[in-house]
Amino acid sequence: MEQTIEIEGLRMRYDRIGQGPQAVIVMHGWGCKASTVQVLADAASAPSTTVYNLDLPGFGGSQEPPASWGVYDYAHFIESFAAHLGIERPVLIGHSYGGRIAIVYASESPVEKVILVDAAGIKPRRSLRYYIKVYTFKAAKRILPLLLGRRKGGEVIERMRGKAGSADYNAASPVMRRIMSTSVNQDLKHLMPSIKAPTLLIWGEKDTATPLRDAKTMEKLIPDAGLVLYEGCGHYSFLERPGQTAAVIKSFLKI
């Protein structure tokens, strides 16, 4: 059932499935929406659960954040969502960026269980070439408007952005670009030992966005964590193995 809720003046769209006593909150990755992770929501659906599959702020049918949020802002917003609906000790399921939010939430508040699917949360290793590109672009943003004027300099900067930025970055609004730039460099390893809930890690062996070494680091740092690895799969491993994913999640949640 499609629903909307307004929290602190921000409207968020979500789907609710079921009426069971155990709440499950499903959070998609960057550039996606609730329908992207419907496989995960369906896997958690059972007579004993109520599943909330969210369009995170700035994605799908939900309003964009009013400012340049970080992952902590997103997590606190989802905590407010849970409080508004009277949800206590939810199960958290997060893919990619949604995994970042789940890590922060679970490190701060009581949750029943956590499922991290090809989750972000560890600062990526970058090559020297990457840093040269980033700092060249930052320098150009400061210098070109002075040399060429605001309009012409802005046009050149946008062309540079189109060539250098990722597809997700280029498709985003200015506010969402700032959020993406901030969030991708936030390292959450220090929070992982504070996650006390049983945690399931589902990962694609060939994931290049959040590589397998990240999963192994999370498995080591989260006290009660176990890893399920899908050979030959990438960053959307749950879409490549929907049947296996459903079976693994239902077994973990005992539903």
Side-chain angles (χ1 to χ4, degrees):
M1 180 185 302
E2 181 175 342
Q3 300 192 2
T4 60
I5 188 171
E6 187 170 305
I7 302 170
E8 299 169 6
L10 186 65
R11 187 188 71 253
M12 185 173 72
R13 195 208 73 85
Y14 65 96
D15 296 322
R16 192 189 73 190
I17 307 169
Q19 299 180 1
Q22 177 61 64
V24 180
I25 298 176
V26 182
M27 295 169 285
H28 60 77
W30 191 272
C32 300
K33 54 186 177 179
S35 60
T36 311
V37 290
Q38 189 63 46
V39 165
L40 301 176
D42 289 342
S45 178
S48 60
T49 64
T50 301
V51 180
Y52 301 88
N53 189 10
L54 314 182
D55 277 350
L56 294 171
F59 304 97
S62 296
Q63 283 184 302
E64 194 172 277
S68 181
W69 282 9
V71 66
Y72 289 90
D73 298 297
Y74 270 96
H76 295 157
F77 183 84
I78 303 308
E79 290 177 48
S80 294
F81 167 80
H84 272 69
L85 295 183
I87 296 171
E88 297 180 355
R89 297 186 64 88
V91 171
L92 302 178
I93 303 179
H95 171 248
S96 196
Y97 189 79
R100 281 187 181 275
I101 299 170
I103 289 167
V104 175
Y105 190 133
S107 72
E108 295 181 338
S109 302
V111 300
E112 191 66 26
K113 291 183 177 181
V114 181
I115 301 175
L116 301 176
V117 185
D118 299 297
I122 295 175
K123 186 174 181 178
R125 298 178 185 177
R126 303 296 195 185
S127 65
L128 178 60
R129 182 180 179 183
Y130 169 85
Y131 286 107
I132 290 172
K133 181 172 69 174
V134 167
Y135 287 108
T136 298
F137 182 68
K138 287 184 176 181
K141 285 203 297 183
R142 294 191 183 97
I143 295 170
L144 288 179
L146 299 176
L147 294 178
L148 304 176
R150 182 174 295 180
R151 185 181 66 82
K152 185 64 174 177
E155 291 174 357
V156 175
I157 289 167
E158 283 304 308
R159 287 200 295 271
M160 291 178 65
R161 192 196 310 276
K163 292 179 180 178
S166 67
D168 283 343
Y169 185 84
N170 291 328
S173 70
V175 168
M176 298 307 289
R177 285 174 181 171
R178 289 195 294 272
I179 292 174
M180 185 178 183
S181 296
T182 299
S183 297
V184 75
N185 289 312
Q186 285 183 291
D187 198 330
L188 304 179
K189 289 199 297 289
H190 65 288
L191 298 179
M192 294 173 190
S194 299
I195 299 174
K196 305 306 181 186
T199 301
L200 170 65
L201 306 170
I202 299 176
W203 231 268
E205 177 196 21
K206 301 296 185 181
D207 190 340
T208 56
T210 53
L212 180 56
R213 63 174 176 267
D214 290 2
K216 292 182 176 179
T217 298
M218 292 182 189
E219 185 181 24
K220 180 179 179 181
L221 292 178
I222 298 171
D224 186 7
L227 172 63
V228 173
L229 181 63
Y230 295 166
E231 293 184 1
C233 293
H235 189 55
Y236 291 83
S237 60
F238 64 99
L239 294 179
E240 296 182 70
R241 302 279 183 87
Q244 186 175 353
T245 297
V248 167
I249 288 177
K250 289 184 182 299
S251 175
F252 179 66
L253 297 182
K254 295 180 170 59
I255 56 176

